Amino acid sequence: MKRLTPIVRAALQSLERPLVDGLFAALLFATVIAAGWLIAQNDRYWDWTSAHGNTLTPESAAILARLEAPLRMTVFSDAQNPLGKTIDRLLARYRHARPDLEVRFVDPQRFPEQARDAKVSMAGQIMLEYRGRRETLSQLGEREISAAIARLGTTRAPWVAVLEGHGERKIDGEGATDLGRFGQELKERGYLLRNLDLTTVTEIPVNTHLALVSHPEIALFPGETERLARYLDQGGNLLWLLDPGEQNGLEALADQLGIGILPGILVDADAARFESATPAVAVIAEFPADALAEGLSAPALLPGAVGFETRTAPGWTLAGFLSSSAQSWNETGRLTGTVFRDEVIGEQAGPLPVVLALTRNLPEDGRVQRVLVVGDGDFLSNAQLGAYGNRALGLQLLRWLSGEDGLPALPPHPQPVPGLTLNHNHRLLLGTTTLILLPGLFLVAGLTIRWARSRG
């Protein structure tokens, strides 16, 4: 047995290195597996792009948070082609924010029957499904996808009745004074817009979420005014876009609400700060800290606006108002030459209310009736909607009118990412670093390593 001991010892010594290597490989494999498991359980995501192009906007995240059931997206494209990979990168933002989101790719050439069923006409379209409802998109982008998700998540699409038939602004019109662009904003949020001619109906439909009334060019008939009055008496919400001049049959509506319209047109010296071609522009630059102005910060410009008195009819409450600047007044004279305020004829100094928010409690069903009266309709027109904070003001007014069923905020329209611009100092620093400093650093490091090895 003593003779076998050196043999066993030699055999063990020969196996020592393979055992150590095997143990190292096993530990390394276990470490990689454990690291992968920890990463899967504790996912972290960083977006270091300047425009945050790989992260959902807060508006999209809020829309996803409102979902109460799983959402499914079907992309009609080959997942391996460039289009499919681009769409997958876009949807990765949604998967990160909503882990239960199901995304699948269907090649429309291999499965044409599924494409026909989804009403797909081109590669790259996406079909969204939520609680038995579905919608197929032809335009792809975060705003379009999030808007579709918001529409699918709405249990009941609100109806907006738009008064027509008397030369009012058209909610689907493309003219400069029409409201087509604003109407498209409402459609994206799931509102159903219906034109309403009071000469053809006996009553405004009871399922109307709110009525939108703009300035009529032709006077309403007495029966039409009575139908609007009954709609208000029955608790209907109203957005009234006033314009200067005769109200053409809507005077009774002003009397019913008890509002007082100041004579003339508002002139605001603050409009020069926004390079306005005319002083007849009311500037709303300061917003109160209340629900009516929640989230508003950019100034809004109301061209050709009228001002109001702060009074209401009995039963109505003035819940809030937005005013022009302190440099404004209601000009009752001609807007030619030098314009100045004349106190003698009753022109009042600003700030003057240009948006009135009225509420009334309805004990019959516990609701709060809401009415907004705006002294201008041009700020929501196709020509003015994109100016400064006009779009944000219009959407916030609709959000306040809707109350708890308010409009979901959509991601902003995509803006071009600014290019990288290097001035002379930046170019000099970049050139010095890449052509002198880094090569010199590598040379010093190499010489140091060579010197250390020669001494060893």
Side-chain angles (χ1 to χ4, degrees):
M1 294 294 294
K2 291 182 179 180
R3 293 179 180 179
L4 294 177
T5 302
I7 299 174
V8 173
R9 185 180 296 113
L12 292 176
Q13 289 176 352
S14 64
L15 294 174
E16 180 179 0
R17 184 59 181 268
L19 288 175
V20 171
D21 291 345
L23 180 60
F24 174 78
L27 290 176
L28 179 61
F29 182 74
T31 301
V32 172
I33 295 298
W37 181 82
L38 288 174
I39 291 175
Q41 297 298 317
N42 302 276
D43 189 18
R44 292 294 182 270
Y45 185 86
W46 293 274
D47 184 1
W48 292 346
T49 59
S50 61
H52 302 288
N54 297 312
T55 306
L56 282 183
T57 60
E59 294 83 359
S60 294
I63 290 174
L64 288 178
R66 297 173 60 175
L67 299 180
E68 300 176 350
L71 175 67
R72 181 178 182 181
M73 297 185 182
T74 303
V75 183
F76 288 90
S77 173
D78 185 353
Q80 302 305 318
N81 63 25
L83 177 60
K85 292 180 180 179
T86 300
I87 297 175
D88 188 56
R89 285 194 296 270
L90 172 61
L91 298 185
R93 311 176 196 175
Y94 291 88
R95 286 197 297 264
H96 181 264
R98 189 84 184 190
D100 63 345
L101 173 63
E102 179 185 351
V103 178
R104 68 187 187 103
F105 284 79
V106 174
D107 189 344
Q109 295 183 349
R110 296 180 57 191
F111 302 97
E113 66 284 352
Q114 295 188 31
R116 286 194 298 269
D117 180 63
K119 298 181 180 179
V120 170
S121 58
M122 66 182 72
Q125 291 186 254
I126 300 178
M127 181 178 68
L128 288 77
E129 297 175 275
Y130 178 75
R131 284 186 168 176
R133 304 172 62 189
R134 68 182 189 178
E135 182 173 342
T136 301
L137 301 179
S138 56
Q139 294 183 347
L140 299 185
E142 181 180 340
R143 181 179 175 86
E144 289 77 17
I145 294 175
S146 296
I149 295 174
R151 289 192 294 269
L152 291 175
T154 303
T155 56
R156 184 178 63 87
W159 286 55
V160 177
V162 184
L163 187 68
E164 67 164 7
H166 308 82
E168 296 90 350
R169 303 174 189 269
K170 297 180 180 179
I171 195 65
D172 53 357
E174 299 180 356
T177 60
D178 290 328
L179 308 175
R181 293 176 60 189
F182 184 64
Q184 185 60 36
E185 294 276 353
L186 300 184
K187 289 180 182 178
E188 289 182 355
R189 288 159 173 80
Y191 276 70
L192 297 177
L193 308 180
R194 294 293 182 267
N195 291 322
L196 180 66
D197 188 346
L198 293 179
T199 62
T200 62
V201 297
T202 57
E203 297 291 342
I204 297 178
V206 294
N207 60 343
T208 298
H209 183 70
L210 64 93
L212 193 159
V213 177
S214 60
H215 184 76
E217 296 292 338
I218 304 173
L220 276 68
F221 294 112
E224 298 176 277
T225 305
E226 294 173 2
R227 294 183 185 105
L228 274 176
R230 284 198 298 271
Y231 170 76
L232 278 181
D233 287 338
Q234 294 169 1
N237 296 335
L238 173 69
L239 173 60
W240 184 8
L241 302 178
L242 274 166
D243 280 320
E246 296 295 330
Q247 295 306 310
N248 292 331
L250 296 179
E251 295 85 356
L253 194 62
D255 294 338
Q256 185 177 0
L257 296 172
I259 62 175
I261 303 175
L262 297 177
I265 300 177
L266 290 191
V267 170
D268 200 331
D270 198 29
R273 183 162 59 97
F274 301 94
E275 300 180 353
S276 174
T278 173
V281 175
V283 179
I284 304 178
E286 297 184 4
F287 300 96
D290 57 20
L292 178 61
E294 182 179 359
L296 296 178
S297 58
L301 306 184
L302 280 63
V306 297
F308 302 108
E309 299 175 358
T310 54
R311 61 181 175 86
T312 62
W316 290 94
T317 301
L318 184 61
F321 58 88
L322 303 178
S323 300
S324 57
S325 77
Q327 304 179 62
S328 64
W329 70 90
N330 60 314
E331 176 60 48
T332 58
R334 302 182 56 151
L335 297 174
T336 57
T338 303
V339 182
F340 59 91
R341 185 171 73 90
D342 190 347
E343 300 181 46
V344 177
I345 60 176
E347 294 178 348
Q348 301 183 28
L352 297 173
V354 291
V355 178
L356 298 179
L358 285 67
T359 59
R360 185 174 65 165
N361 293 322
L362 303 176
E364 297 83 5
D365 53 10
R367 289 192 305 112
V368 176
Q369 183 181 7
R370 299 175 182 237
V371 172
L372 274 173
V373 185
V374 186
D376 173 48
D378 286 312
F379 84 104
L380 291 181
S381 67
N382 295 335
Q384 298 291 332
L385 184 64
Y388 297 94
N390 288 7
R391 175 185 282 105
L393 174 61
L395 294 176
Q396 173 56 24
L397 296 183
L398 263 291
R399 193 175 294 116
W400 182 87
L401 270 176
S402 300
E404 296 180 356
D405 300 326
L407 296 167
L410 295 184
H413 291 277
Q415 300 294 329
V417 179
L420 178 63
T421 303
L422 300 178
N423 58 29
H424 175 72
N425 294 333
H426 292 157
R427 291 194 296 269
L428 181 61
L429 178 60
L430 183 61
T432 302
T433 302
T434 57
L435 299 179
I436 298 176
L437 295 182
L438 287 180
L441 179 62
F442 294 149
L443 178 60
V444 171
L447 292 176
T448 302
I449 294 174
R450 182 179 179 84
W451 175 77
R453 287 179 177 176
S454 65
R455 287 178 59 87

